[in-house]
């Protein structure tokens, strides 16, 4: 696709501006040693009409306009688009009812797998992966006070107490990438 960026000098935006078409994910150019603003004007995909999807994302994240200070040294600007992630949650060793309701067995260890995917438009080439985190709050176990009481009374083992309290008050876990290319999860 092609992205269009407008460069302006903040002190004289009415008298100096330059519009640049970016046809590659990386492009180098010579510019005057000034402080300037770089505004992402538009992005188009090769064969799919994406409308204002990308520019709306950068407006919402307050990164559509970036400051570019070339007085002291070279600088790199990066606009990194992320579509709304899609989540799929699977629980091991848990039967699913005909109504797509998962039953978590009592007293049995259950592994929860959260798959996160960023789906782009059809002609989007393979992107390098960007690390991320999933925040999980476990509300399947007992309340923390009850777990501590059971552990102190010896009715559960320390290992069982640890499992019951895993992510009880939220935890941020890294997304592990499986596969290559567009099939990364």
């Amino acid at each position: 696709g092609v992205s269009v960026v407008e460069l302006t000098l903040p002190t004289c935006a009415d008298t100096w501006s330059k519009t640049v078409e970016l046809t590659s994910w990386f492009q180098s150019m010579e510019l005057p040693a000034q402080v300037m603003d770089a505004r992402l004007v538009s992005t188009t995909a090769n064969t799919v009409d994406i409308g204002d999807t990308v520019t709306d994302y950068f407006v919402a994240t307050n990164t559509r306009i970036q400051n570019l200070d070339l007085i002291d040294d070279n600088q790199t600007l990066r606009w990194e688009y992320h579509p709304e992630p899609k989540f799929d949650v699977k629980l091991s060793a848990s039967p699913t009812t005909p109504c797509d309701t998962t039953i978590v067995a009592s007293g049995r260890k259950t592994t929860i797998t959260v798959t996160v995917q960023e789906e782009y438009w059809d002609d989007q080439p393979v992107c390098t992966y960007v690390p991320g985190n999933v925040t999980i709050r476990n509300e399947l176990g007992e309340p923390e006070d009850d777990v501590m009481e059971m552990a102190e009374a010896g009715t559960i083992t320390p290992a069982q107490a640890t499992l019951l309290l895993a992510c009880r008050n939220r935890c941020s876990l890294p997304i592990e990438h499986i596969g290559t290319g567009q099939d990364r999860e």
Side-chain angles (χ1 to χ4, degrees):
V2 176
S3 291
V4 176
V5 174
E6 179 184 46
L7 303 168
T8 58
L9 297 175
T11 55
C12 54
D14 294 335
T15 59
W16 189 93
S17 70
K18 179 176 184 161
T19 302
V20 180
E21 281 193 359
L22 306 174
T23 56
S24 171
W25 70 273
F26 179 81
Q27 201 160 319
S28 181
M29 64 189 71
E30 285 190 29
L31 295 167
Q34 297 287 328
V35 174
M36 56 184 71
D37 289 333
R39 181 176 73 94
L40 182 67
V41 176
S42 64
T43 296
T44 56
N46 293 328
T47 60
V48 179
D49 179 11
I50 58 172
D52 294 330
T53 303
V54 175
T55 51
D56 287 350
Y57 171 84
F58 292 114
V59 168
T61 59
N62 200 29
T63 57
R64 185 174 184 185
I65 299 174
Q66 296 186 31
N67 186 264
L68 182 61
D69 184 352
L70 298 174
I71 292 175
D72 294 326
D73 203 355
N74 294 334
Q75 187 175 355
T76 299
L77 290 181
R78 179 179 174 111
W79 284 275
E80 185 176 304
Y81 170 74
H82 292 277
E84 184 174 338
K86 308 273 189 223
F87 293 88
D88 182 46
V89 179
K90 295 213 184 311
L91 289 84
S92 70
S94 299
T96 302
T97 68
C99 298
D100 263 351
T101 303
T102 302
I103 300 168
V104 179
S106 175
R108 186 179 294 163
K109 182 177 177 180
T110 301
T111 301
I112 301 172
T113 304
V114 179
T115 303
V116 183
Q117 293 181 322
E118 291 183 336
E119 295 180 8
Y120 295 87
W121 38 92
D122 294 339
D123 71 338
Q124 173 64 35
V126 175
C127 292
T128 57
Y129 100 89
V130 177
N133 291 306
V134 175
T135 300
I136 297 175
R137 181 172 177 160
N138 174 11
E139 294 185 2
L140 298 175
E142 300 292 331
E144 187 172 351
D145 291 344
D146 293 351
V147 172
M148 299 313 289
E149 188 176 307
M150 289 186 287
E152 289 171 9
T155 50
I156 61 172
T157 66
Q160 290 171 322
T162 300
L163 287 173
L164 284 172
L165 294 174
C167 296
R168 186 74 191 157
N169 295 316
R170 293 187 187 223
C171 60
S172 184
L173 302 174
I175 298 170
E176 296 176 15
H177 294 271
I178 301 168
T180 59
Q182 290 178 320
D183 295 331
R184 287 195 166 158
E185 298 177 1

